[in-house]
Amino acid sequence: MARRRAEPPLSTYRAKRDFDRTPEPAGDSSAPTAGAAPRFVVQRHRARRRHYDLRFEVDGVLASWAVPKGPTLDPGVRRLAVHVEDHPIEYLDFEGVIPAGEYGGGDVIVWDIGTWSLTRGDDARAEIDAGELHVEVSGEKLAGRFALVRSRRGRSGSGQDEWLLVHADDDHAVRGWDAEDHPRSVLSGRTNDEVAADPEWTWRSDTPAAEARVRVGAGDGDAPADEARVRSRSSSGDEALASQAVTDPSEWRGPTDDELAALDALGSGGRWTFVGRELKLTNLDKALFPGRDGSAPVTKRDLVRYHALVAPTVLPYLAGRPVNTNRFPAGVDEPGFWHTSLPSHAPDWISRWDNPDAGKRKTHAVVDHPATLAWLANFAAVELHAWTARVDDVSRPTWALFDIDPGTDTTFDEVVALARLHRTALDHLGVVGRPKVTGRRGVQIWVPIEPRYSFEETRAWAETISRAIGATLPELVSWEWRVDARGGRARLDYTQNAANKTLVAPYSARPSAGAPVSVPIEWDELDDPDLRPDRWTVRTVVDRIAEVGDPFRALLGVHQELPSLT
């Protein structure tokens, strides 16, 4: 039988990527240095799902496998390894961020790196083609003999065969060894969260791969700053919104220990200086939220503290946008009211925007400074709702929204089932989005879009997807406006994609016992049996952010076209 003609090196890799957007190297299939030991790398890669990329230098490229649970030194454990396309040699020390919306979008660290050798034969490519690769590695974390054995062929044309990765029972074996217990990069010492928040390197796609790595903030050529932000998430989310903010995003920080101590020392009220702004705080010991599950009530001081602590995370979703608030001056056990105008007694340093389309000119707060968040907490603004459009063009939204609004008989398991259908629909369309629990009973899906569509276009696009999802589970969905007419079923509310309509902002508190919070989550968290829409509160969500980061941060600066649905 004639041997199938081999494809050019890296052809599959290049076909899956748009190098005008991704910072990844295009690669030049250069040969290894003569006499040098071949190298290997393992990268911890958080894309749609976290996995580890295991790569061996073979014939001038990196033969690559995706290992969902990571390699292990435990000889009694077999790991699934999916054979993927060869990658360029430059990937050996690639550590940074691939833009959301691109193939493999997510953050990458160099989890381990070193050299390797064959333990059988002398032709690695032949062993890979035969479905069995036996190697010995010498890395910072991994050492000893490994075997990769093909166990199942992928679907025809997919090229993604399933292999098993096993460590030998040799002197380097360690029973119970888990990659997740060793989360830091061997190059920078940083975690994925730290790299995602502040990438050190980016890659330029318009230069040879050997010259493509450029330190962030240097050498961006003649590309306009806004265009560079759209192309690459190598700039932080704060920088991506810098042009929309009145204040310098370098001031987007949380409180110092001294500032927190000063807040605690105020008694019932007084003057507090936070990030250079002086605030007059009042009634700090007033209970705004009753306690939950036996916990103490949440006071206004607690809400001020929470707004201050969460400021660096939440400001990218508020800056440059008018903000509506839902206020509860008497506490959430009493009726609240919507407040859209900035009061005349607000401090002069709060940024503001005059709405020219209001019948009577209305001035909105623009929340672009940590102290503004703290002031709003003192103002008993429990809920924060930012517009989906920015003040520079309030007729063009930058988010498309899907709101799964439960009915009286809808269980949270049913809400999750509907959210998973949104995940499937967006995956099918190649659109990036993320879910968010509402802090009450529902789930929302947020999708970043190019600010060139009208609200009518955005709403029509969202309605088409919602109707298709509703047709999949019609027994769970009603399209009636009135709650009492829905027969207890959920509504997929696409109508929030309209001028002046808003959904609760990421990390905003909700007016319920315990001060629950609307929290962005990863798609995989929909499968967590402990997930609840009001799982996190103002007292617990800061720890979650410190532990897992902000899932919506991957959406900042991403501009997507709305794909045709016809």
Side-chain angles (χ1 to χ4, degrees), residues 407-427:
T408 54
D409 296 337
T410 307
T411 68
F412 187 60
D413 284 344
E414 291 170 340
V415 170
V416 168
L418 291 167
R420 288 176 179 145
L421 287 176
H422 285 77
R423 173 176 62 188
T424 301
L426 295 181
D427 277 352

Side-chain angles (χ1 to χ4, degrees), residues 362-496:
K362 187 178 293 185
T363 299
H364 292 261
V366 178
V367 183
D368 61 5
H369 191 279
T372 306
L373 275 172
W375 181 85
L376 285 170
N378 184 70
F379 196 45
V382 168
E383 285 188 330
L384 307 177
H385 289 238
W387 288 25
T388 57
R390 298 190 177 105
V391 295
D392 56 356
D393 188 351
V394 293
S395 66
R396 305 290 174 181
T398 67
W399 296 100
L401 305 175
F402 299 87
D403 185 18
I404 305 172
D405 183 17
T408 54
D409 296 337
T410 307
T411 68
F412 187 60
D413 284 344
E414 291 170 340
V415 170
V416 168
L418 291 167
R420 288 176 179 145
L421 287 176
H422 285 77
R423 173 176 62 188
T424 301
L426 295 181
D427 277 352
H428 176 74
L429 294 169
V431 171
V432 175
R434 290 288 190 279
K436 177 167 71 72
V437 293
T438 62
R440 285 188 160 173
R441 297 184 60 221
V443 170
Q444 301 163 0
I445 316 296
W446 286 43
V447 175
I449 62 174
E450 287 189 356
R452 64 182 177 91
Y453 301 100
S454 67
F455 280 101
E456 291 75 16
E457 291 170 319
T458 306
R459 172 174 164 156
W461 183 82
E463 180 180 3
T464 301
I465 294 174
S466 296
R467 296 280 183 183
I469 291 171
T472 303
L473 290 175
E475 68 277 12
L476 300 184
V477 175
S478 170
W479 302 105
E480 296 291 336
W481 273 94
R482 292 187 1 254
V483 174
D484 60 4
R486 296 180 195 170
R489 291 173 291 174
R491 174 177 169 81
L492 303 183
D493 191 359
Y494 52 85
T495 64
Q496 297 297 335

Side-chain angles (χ1 to χ4, degrees), residues 49-273:
R49 289 181 172 84
R50 185 197 68 226
H51 62 279
Y52 291 73
D53 292 312
L54 171 63
R55 312 189 194 280
F56 295 99
E57 183 179 12
V58 178
D59 298 336
V61 295
L62 295 174
S64 299
W65 287 260
V67 185
K69 294 186 178 180
T72 177
L73 299 178
D74 189 335
V77 175
R78 297 182 176 188
R79 292 289 198 226
L80 170 67
V82 180
H83 193 199
V84 298
E85 70 274 9
D86 293 343
H87 280 54
I89 287 294
E90 289 81 7
Y91 241 98
L92 274 165
D93 59 359
F94 175 67
E95 183 165 285
V97 175
I98 303 168
E102 288 299 303
Y103 179 78
D107 44 79
V108 179
I109 64 168
V110 176
W111 181 83
D112 197 18
I113 198 166
T115 59
W116 70 280
S117 61
L118 288 170
T119 58
R120 299 183 185 179
D122 58 3
D123 189 337
R125 185 59 67 181
E127 290 195 20
I128 294 170
D129 290 344
E132 198 165 323
L133 179 66
H134 295 265
V135 300
E136 183 162 359
V137 305
S138 178
E140 299 291 324
K141 297 176 181 177
L142 300 181
R145 289 179 286 121
F146 283 87
L148 273 161
V149 180
R150 186 166 54 223
S151 59
R152 180 182 300 176
R153 291 282 190 180
R155 296 189 307 274
S156 177
S158 73
Q160 294 196 335
D161 300 339
E162 292 184 4
W163 295 52
L164 293 176
L165 175 65
V166 183
H167 192 282
D169 193 1
D170 59 14
D171 291 342
H172 298 282
V174 180
R175 298 191 183 277
W177 198 92
D178 188 342
E180 284 295 285
D181 295 333
H182 310 271
R184 293 192 174 272
S185 164
V186 296
L187 294 187
S188 67
R190 300 199 294 169
T191 65
N192 281 79
D193 279 336
E194 291 166 340
V195 168
D198 185 20
E200 184 178 0
W201 296 97
T202 186
W203 287 84
R204 292 185 55 173
S205 60
D206 56 349
T207 60
E211 305 168 9
R213 194 171 71 160
V214 178
R215 190 177 295 275
V216 171
D220 285 335
D222 297 327
D226 288 343
E227 182 181 346
R229 293 188 193 110
V230 171
R231 282 205 313 262
S232 172
R233 275 186 56 228
S234 294
S235 295
S236 70
D238 297 347
E239 292 170 352
L241 290 180
S243 63
Q244 303 299 332
V246 177
T247 58
D248 185 350
S250 67
E251 296 182 351
W252 292 359
R253 65 163 176 85
T256 65
D257 289 344
D258 288 344
E259 287 169 336
L260 288 177
L263 175 62
D264 291 339
L266 280 180
S268 62
R271 300 282 178 176
W272 184 50
T273 300

Side-chain angles (χ1 to χ4, degrees), residues 304-320:
V304 171
R305 175 186 289 265
Y306 170 68
H307 274 202
L309 289 168
V310 83
T313 305
V314 76
L315 280 171
Y317 308 107
L318 304 178

Side-chain angles (χ1 to χ4, degrees), residues 269-286:
R271 300 282 178 176
W272 184 50
T273 300
F274 175 44
V275 196
R277 303 286 194 268
E278 185 179 81
L279 298 91
K280 181 182 179 181
L281 304 181
T282 59
N283 299 321
L284 287 172
D285 295 321
K286 179 177 182 55

